[in-house]
Amino acid sequence: MIKFRLFLFLIIILHISTDILNSQNSESQIRVEFNGFGIVEISSKNDVHKANVVKRGSVFGMAAVEYKIGEEGDWLGIYTGETKFKKDQKKYVYTDYIEGMPIKMARTFTVDETGIDWDITVENKSKYSIEIGNFAIPLPWNKPVGENPEYVFEQGFVEHQHIAENGSFIYFTKPSGEPPFLVLMTKPQTKFEYFKTSNNTYKAYVHSKLEATRDQEGTWRLENTGATLNPEGESNDQVTYSFRMEWANSYDHLRDILYNNNILDTRIVPGMTLPQGLKAKIALRSKNRIDSIVAEFPLETEIIQLKSDKKDTNIFEVSFSKLGENMISVYYNKTEKTVLEFFSTLPIKDLINERSRFLVDKQQHKDTTKWYNGLYSVWDMKNEVLRGPDNTDGFDHWWGYVLASDDPALCKAPFLAAKNVFFPNDKEIESIEYYLKNFVWGGLQRTDKEFPNPYGIYGTPNWYVCRDDKLRAGVGSRNLDKMHIWRSYDYPHIFMLYYHMYQIAKFYPERVSYLDADGYLERAFQTAKGYFNYTYDILPWYETYKWGCYNELVLIPLIDTLEEHGRQNDADYLRSEWEKKVKYFVYDDKYPFRSEYSFDRTAFESSYAFAKYGATTKMKSDTNLWYDKKLEKWYSHPKVSTTDSREFMERQLMAGLAVRGWINNSYYFLGSDDTLSYMARMGGWGILDYALEFSESPWDWLQLGYASYLSSFALFNVGTEDSNFGYWFAGKENNGAMGWAFNPQKIGKIWLQGRESPRGPWNYDGEADLGNGAIFRTAATILAEDPTFGWITYGGTHEQKGNTFSITPKDGVLNKFWVVSNDIRVGMVLNRDGFDSSVPITFSKSKNEIQLEVNNKVKTAHSTVFKLLGNMNCSVYFNNEIVKPIKGQYVLPIEKSNNTLKIKIEN
């Protein structure tokens, strides 16, 4: 189970005020304070930081109701200008009503030892029927804003939600991930069906018929309802909606709270974005009687109930043949319904291939008369057009970075290169080299002949502007005296690109023409060196050693490769710089989860990589390791241990969970980062890696990590001719495009220039290929003995006969396989080639033996490096010959099309 280290809790000192009404109990966990309008503080006595969920100056517990009388009546809000308040022991009642008004609202809060019950009654006081069009609950919570890390991580809260009709809930976590967590639940016969954030105000809707009509653009998957109150004195002349709030001390406790309050505690494997060919299993733990589970498209969905030996737990297996969104409705207790939202995609390998093809065919500018010749730019799915510096769609001046530099533009070629390491394609490799020759070298990147600062990379808005003093002065007025090669984030994309091109040139030398393997390795090293040499020195605001940057974890295999090539001095240099970052994150910052912002989801891929390196590598102590120009101080580390990094890893994972959907079961939240984006997979890589290589109880981490890997495949706009290709933006022209991030509202603003976007992926791809690059470090097929589901296969399927399993891998890359049970933890990874998906992997539990076929992808003789993962003692046989490890890895001579690899587990 996911567990967190318990912190030493301080006793909360009770504050008594003449205008604030306190309610607490010496045995209660909850602390709540009321004023004349509602709740002004909700905190936990178990919270060492005494953090208040309620935003300062705001009130929790309000209701926004709009109604009308008669067809011709206006929509009106309940008058709240003279709220009356009374306290009756542990009940706090707020009434909005004046004699002669048509409608009365009463809000009642009842505080007990474990939480708050909250009832809202709306009563018709007129002789006419009243229609309720909106019934919303505003939730003004204390968000983690500003630059003060103590405030951000100790006082702020991140909101998570599961809006799913009956059984809906919303919970709040601190950005540090440290419990307790506050959960707000609907009670039986109450639901949430809609949500909206507008003018920085979040509302969850019990009824949303009116609001959904106002939001004309976009689609919504749940029914938008209203309610009718009969005239006073008749039956159904009033309605009551009920909620409950409690504090949870862990995620397991949060699940128990849901279960104990008649809400479904749901687990789903391998995730809710489900590639075809894979089946999902759903575990519903509930005190309620499950009446039925119904597919939105019953003729294209298969649902089977499986046997379960867990108390109050129903397990179902489901598979979808209809591409796109698929809703499963769970009916229970005869009158209630909750929903689970899935997304069905093509098989992962097809998604990867279609995306790669699309980038080459549709997203690369090839015009020798343009300064941006070779650029991979942003595709606009809405208008079916490739944007670029001469077709901007409003991304002008400084915003031009979206089209030609920084993460949105620079992430595409590294993904293509990573893909071609495993699935080489001549046209794609030619496209990458065209980009390097015409756009990168001597344009985006300074050459080795340009002094000072060779190999430097130009930043925003693009290299063409940054190389021209006059143009640059036209888009910004600061730091014009400095060469604009300081933006730290740009360098890792380029050294990742060069490193994967080195691998391609090494594995398939006949397929490259621009540089050979040594040439690409040199570019990778020099770019990585510039990452540390230039950015911080030129503009110390870019605190390279303090921020997590996308793709910088590629430095680890780059360092290893330099050592293999006898370039020890170069390897040592990069390692020393990398270790400065590792030590800073482990020792020098209490909350090092920032990048450009004080709390930034960007950081979690890197911060896990730092933790893993420090936990597995013995670093030396130091004195005056590096000087902080901004703070004017030296960093020293007189005592360094792997234990400290292992402890940091736990803190890193806690903070990572704070931005990740774990309990909330819809495809755009489960495993995602706040809401669905490319970062879901990047941070999810660390969660899955932790499950496989570190956790003593990996089951929850496996569930969440694999759901994270699969989740952002829902951003792909890839389909079949029968489905008119893309689900989100139909038509062949968009087949292979994808969205930058996901908007879960019917219509809402996105951070990109404050533009509005309908529900679904943004129409631009932008940074999406950052997440695609992470496919190749995350993908794995995993046979696991889950305590809830029994034996399951993540990223594949299996058949079991006695103690023998036949596993068909379908993870998209086919180079990693694991067996994870209570007594076995063994994994394997190939650096090239891959498993033959037409020949099942076999695992014999009785023999403790794994056998698989390695497919020769190039049909010529070569060597493949194979590594064992985990801490089991194993013997390795290749084509029936025993293989001995060399420096912890096995070199396999690939001479045939198919080769047999056998692993005998000795303990």
Side-chain angles (χ1 to χ4, degrees):
M1 298 292 174
I2 294 179
K3 297 180 179 178
F4 301 109
R5 186 180 314 150
L6 294 179
F7 290 80
L8 180 63
F9 298 125
L10 300 181
I11 298 175
I12 294 181
I13 301 173
L14 307 184
H15 172 69
I16 307 297
S17 174
T18 56
D19 59 343
I20 298 292
L21 302 170
N22 294 321
S23 174
Q24 30 236 349
N25 183 291
S26 60
E27 298 179 359
S28 173
Q29 177 175 311
I30 198 161
R31 170 187 170 93
V32 57
E33 296 185 355
F34 297 84
N35 68 6
F37 300 97
I39 302 174
V40 293
E41 179 178 339
I42 307 174
S43 58
S44 171
K45 293 172 69 176
N46 289 344
D47 181 9
V48 66
H49 303 298
K50 306 177 184 178
N52 180 13
V53 175
V54 183
K55 181 181 178 181
R56 179 177 294 181
S58 301
V59 176
F60 246 52
M62 305 293 283
V65 182
E66 291 184 80
Y67 70 94
K68 72 175 182 178
I69 298 175
E71 289 296 324
E72 303 303 321
D74 289 334
W75 288 106
L76 306 170
I78 293 177
Y79 179 67
T80 58
E82 297 186 36
T83 300
K84 298 180 179 63
F85 167 77
K86 70 175 182 178
K87 176 184 177 184
D88 181 11
Q89 294 186 353
K90 294 186 180 181
K91 282 193 176 182
Y92 303 81
V93 182
Y94 297 85
T95 304
D96 294 292
Y97 179 68
I98 298 175
E99 193 69 33
M101 289 173 55
I103 198 165
K104 173 182 178 181
M105 181 169 68
R107 295 173 290 128
T108 303
F109 301 91
T110 305
V111 181
D112 60 31
E113 285 75 15
T114 58
I116 307 169
D117 287 313
W118 172 18
D119 302 300
I120 306 173
T121 298
V122 177
E123 185 178 351
N124 190 344
K125 304 296 289 186
S126 77
K127 59 182 179 181
Y128 307 107
S129 293
I130 291 178
E131 180 182 359
I132 296 176
N134 280 342
F135 195 115
I137 307 299
L139 296 175
W141 76 88
N142 191 21
K143 297 180 181 179
V145 296
E147 295 297 319
N148 183 327
E150 282 71 25
Y151 179 84
V152 167
F153 288 94
E154 296 172 5
Q155 300 298 319
F157 286 89
V158 179
E159 180 262 0
H160 302 264
Q161 64 182 37
H162 183 52
I163 306 298
E165 299 191 2
N166 302 118
S168 295
F169 57 90
I170 298 166
Y171 64 99
F172 300 89
T173 62
K174 287 199 196 73
S176 67
E178 178 186 344
F181 317 129
L182 181 71
V183 58
L184 164 66
M185 302 162 281
T186 58
K187 296 177 77 171
Q189 306 307 318
T190 299
K191 61 183 173 63
F192 285 140
E193 65 182 24
Y194 195 68
F195 79 96
K196 184 175 181 178
T197 298
S198 180
N199 298 321
N200 209 30
T201 299
Y202 172 93
K203 294 178 182 178
Y205 286 78
V206 176
H207 296 296
S208 57
K209 178 181 177 180
L210 174 60
E211 197 63 33
T213 301
R214 290 170 175 163
D215 295 334
Q216 294 182 0
E217 188 178 354
T219 61
W220 188 249
R221 300 276 287 159
L222 304 181
E223 183 181 5
N224 299 110
T225 68
T228 299
L229 302 182
N230 291 332
E232 182 181 20
E234 296 185 11
S235 61
N236 300 319
D237 65 346
Q238 63 179 275
V239 65
T240 298
Y241 300 110
S242 300
F243 313 90
R244 181 165 175 81
M245 290 180 277
E246 292 188 26
W247 285 102
N249 293 322
S250 68
Y251 286 101
D252 286 341
H253 186 205
L254 197 159
R255 287 185 179 276
D256 287 341
I257 288 172
L258 297 178
Y259 169 77
N260 290 327
N261 284 276
N262 296 300
I263 290 178
L264 275 62
D265 168 23
T266 306
R267 293 177 180 271
I268 299 173
V269 293
M272 298 192 76
T273 298
L274 195 65
Q276 294 194 339
L278 300 183
K279 296 181 178 182
K281 290 184 179 180
I282 306 167
L284 304 174
R285 184 172 73 119
S286 177
K287 291 182 176 181
N288 306 297
R289 175 180 174 177
I290 306 298
D291 300 317
S292 62
I293 176 169
V294 178
E296 180 180 10
F297 305 105
L299 297 181
E300 299 170 280
T301 308
E302 183 179 39
I303 301 176
I304 301 171
Q305 184 160 9
L306 304 177
K307 184 179 179 181
S308 173
D309 57 3
K310 297 288 184 180
K311 180 184 177 183
D312 293 340
T313 301
N314 289 272
I315 297 180
F316 300 88
E317 183 178 79
V318 59
S319 59
F320 306 101
S321 59
K322 180 178 175 58
L323 292 173
E325 293 181 291
N326 285 259
M327 188 177 292
I328 297 292
S329 297
V330 181
Y331 294 87
Y332 61 97
N333 289 352
K334 296 184 179 179
T335 60
E336 297 193 272
K337 181 186 82 168
T338 194
V339 299
L340 303 171
E341 297 183 75
F342 287 85
F343 193 90
S344 174
T345 74
L346 290 177
I348 297 173
K349 187 175 179 180
D350 293 347
L351 298 177
I352 294 171
N353 286 335
E354 281 301 306
R355 179 60 182 160
S356 302
R357 176 200 60 79
F358 191 86
L359 282 170
V360 171
D361 290 349
K362 297 281 191 176
Q363 290 197 235
Q364 187 172 32
H365 293 278
K366 287 190 173 181
D367 185 340
T368 57
T369 68
K370 302 294 185 180
W371 66 264
Y372 52 87
N373 180 36
L375 167 70
Y376 298 99
S377 196
V378 173
W379 181 264
D380 178 351
M381 290 187 284
K382 182 178 179 180
N383 296 289
E384 297 185 349
V385 65
L386 175 61
R387 299 298 179 184
D390 292 327
N391 183 12
T392 65
D393 194 28
F395 295 115
D396 299 306
H397 308 297
W398 178 83
W399 279 98
Y401 84 87
V402 170
L403 306 173
S405 73
D406 200 56
D407 302 328
L410 302 189
C411 65
K412 303 180 190 317
F415 157 65
L416 272 176
K419 179 265 182 185
N420 276 272
V421 171
F422 295 97
F423 306 107
N425 177 287
D426 287 340
K427 185 177 180 181
E428 292 169 9
I429 295 171
E430 179 184 348
S431 171
I432 298 168
E433 293 200 308
Y434 189 92
Y435 168 73
L436 287 169
K437 180 179 180 180
N438 293 286
F439 184 80
V440 175
W441 194 243
L444 172 73
Q445 184 171 35
R446 292 171 66 81
T447 71
D448 56 345
K449 303 296 191 299
E450 292 186 87
F451 295 96
N453 307 324
Y455 298 94
I457 297 174
Y458 287 96
T460 58
N462 55 61
W463 68 258
Y464 186 71
V465 169
C466 289
R467 282 178 176 265
D468 187 305
D469 291 343
K470 184 178 180 180
L471 291 176
R472 187 177 161 201
V475 297
S477 57
R478 299 174 61 190
N479 300 304
L480 297 179
D481 59 328
K482 300 177 177 67
M483 187 180 291
H484 193 351
I485 59 169
W486 60 66
R487 188 166 167 80
S488 305
Y489 304 97
D490 299 337
Y491 287 78
H493 306 320
I494 304 304
F495 65 66
M496 173 181 171
L497 169 59
Y498 283 135
Y499 179 71
H500 289 317
M501 288 303 296
Y502 153 78
Q503 291 178 296
I504 292 168
K506 180 181 178 182
F507 296 159
Y508 323 110
E510 72 285 355
R511 294 179 182 263
V512 299
S513 60
Y514 178 55
L515 295 175
D516 60 12
D518 288 340
Y520 280 120
L521 183 61
E522 174 67 7
R523 292 257 186 108
F525 164 69
Q526 294 292 353
T527 306
K529 186 177 179 182
Y531 174 54
F532 294 110
N533 272 0
Y534 301 152
T535 59
Y536 186 66
D537 286 346
I538 292 174
L539 192 65
W541 183 85
Y542 276 90
E543 298 182 285
T544 305
Y545 300 110
K546 298 181 179 182
W547 298 357
C549 295
Y550 300 130
N551 291 329
E552 65 180 322
L553 75 174
V554 175
L555 281 168
I556 297 303
L558 173 58
I559 290 167
D560 292 340
T561 300
L562 289 169
E563 291 179 336
E564 291 169 7
H565 280 256
R567 299 178 59 170
Q568 194 62 51
N569 289 340
D570 294 336
D572 289 345
Y573 174 80
L574 292 184
R575 189 180 298 277
S576 68
E577 296 300 294
W578 172 262
E579 290 188 359
K580 288 177 184 177
K581 293 196 73 166
V582 173
K583 290 176 181 177
Y584 178 84
F585 275 68
V586 174
Y587 294 103
D588 301 326
D589 191 335
K590 186 179 180 181
Y591 300 117
F593 307 117
R594 67 163 297 131
S595 194
E596 285 187 284
Y597 308 102
S598 55
F599 177 48
D600 199 332
R601 292 168 292 163
T602 299
F604 286 101
E605 177 190 67
S606 286
S607 55
Y608 179 80
F610 301 146
K612 182 177 181 179
Y613 180 89
T616 57
T617 306
K618 291 185 177 180
M619 298 183 293
K620 296 180 180 179
S621 59
D622 60 75
T623 301
N624 292 345
L625 180 65
W626 67 280
Y627 184 72
D628 189 326
K629 298 179 181 180
K630 186 175 180 181
L631 299 181
E632 297 182 340
K633 61 177 285 189
W634 284 93
Y635 290 103
S636 299
H637 310 92
K639 183 180 179 182
V640 176
S641 74
T642 56
T643 301
D644 295 335
S645 290
R646 188 67 175 79
E647 290 177 351
F648 169 67
M649 181 182 288
E650 302 293 330
R651 291 196 293 116
Q652 189 274 344
L653 289 160
M654 289 168 63
L657 285 178
V659 297
R660 192 160 295 271
W662 168 224
I663 309 294
N664 30 343
N665 292 288
S666 53
Y667 73 88
Y668 45 85
F669 284 132
L670 180 65
S672 70
D673 51 311
D674 188 21
T675 187
L676 186 57
S677 83
Y678 58 94
M679 288 182 278
R681 185 180 296 115
M682 302 185 84
W685 158 77
I687 290 172
L688 188 60
D689 186 84
Y690 175 77
L692 295 169
E693 300 212 31
F694 293 95
S695 176
E696 294 180 2
S697 184
W699 316 115
D700 282 10
W701 299 102
L702 282 172
Q703 290 178 20
L704 179 57
Y706 218 90
S708 301
Y709 170 61
L710 293 176
S711 63
S712 49
F713 285 115
L715 296 173
F716 281 64
N717 196 72
V718 177
T720 62
E721 187 172 0
D722 290 342
S723 65
N724 199 12
F725 302 101
Y727 176 81
W728 299 111
F729 293 88
K732 195 171 183 178
E733 277 298 299
N734 283 322
N735 189 43
M738 66 181 302
W740 193 329
F742 192 94
N743 171 36
Q745 301 183 90
K746 184 179 181 184
I747 183 74
K749 285 188 176 182
I750 58 177
W751 68 262
L752 195 64
Q753 291 184 324
R755 299 185 181 206
E756 286 203 330
S757 175
R759 190 185 64 85
W762 303 358
N763 59 297
Y764 313 98
D765 56 3
E767 296 169 324
D769 289 297
L770 283 169
N772 294 339
I775 290 171
F776 303 96
R777 64 183 75 115
T778 312
T781 299
I782 305 162
L783 178 67
E785 190 178 17
D786 189 272
T788 298
F789 297 100
W791 285 99
I792 57 174
T793 298
Y794 293 95
T797 60
H798 78 262
E799 294 182 358
Q800 181 179 359
K801 293 183 178 179
N803 286 320
T804 300
F805 298 82
S806 296
I807 303 103
T808 301
K810 299 180 180 182
D811 61 69
V813 182
L814 310 183
N815 76 318
K816 288 192 284 291
F817 176 69
W818 280 85
V819 176
V820 182
S821 68
N822 289 322
D823 54 357
I824 293 176
R825 186 84 62 92
V826 63
M828 57 209 67
V829 59
L830 300 170
N831 75 330
R832 62 180 295 189
D833 295 313
F835 310 139
D836 189 337
S837 59
S838 66
V839 181
I841 300 169
T842 60
F843 167 60
S844 172
K845 191 176 179 183
S846 57
K847 295 180 181 179
N848 273 355
E849 186 176 283
I850 301 169
Q851 183 169 308
L852 52 87
E853 295 292 307
V854 178
N855 180 250
N856 182 347
K857 291 185 178 179
V858 293
K859 311 306 179 187
T860 57
H862 61 273
S863 295
T864 291
V865 175
F866 165 75
K867 290 183 181 180
L868 278 172
L869 306 172
N871 55 6
M872 311 290 289
N873 292 322
C874 301
S875 297
V876 175
Y877 298 84
F878 187 66
N879 291 331
N880 297 318
E881 298 287 336
I882 192 165
V883 183
K884 297 296 183 181
I886 302 173
K887 294 182 179 180
Q889 59 188 26
Y890 301 80
V891 178
L892 308 180
I894 307 293
E895 298 175 351
K896 303 184 297 181
S897 295
N898 290 289
N899 305 268
T900 302
L901 180 63
K902 184 186 295 184
I903 296 92
K904 181 73 175 177
I905 304 168
E906 305 294 348
N907 62 349

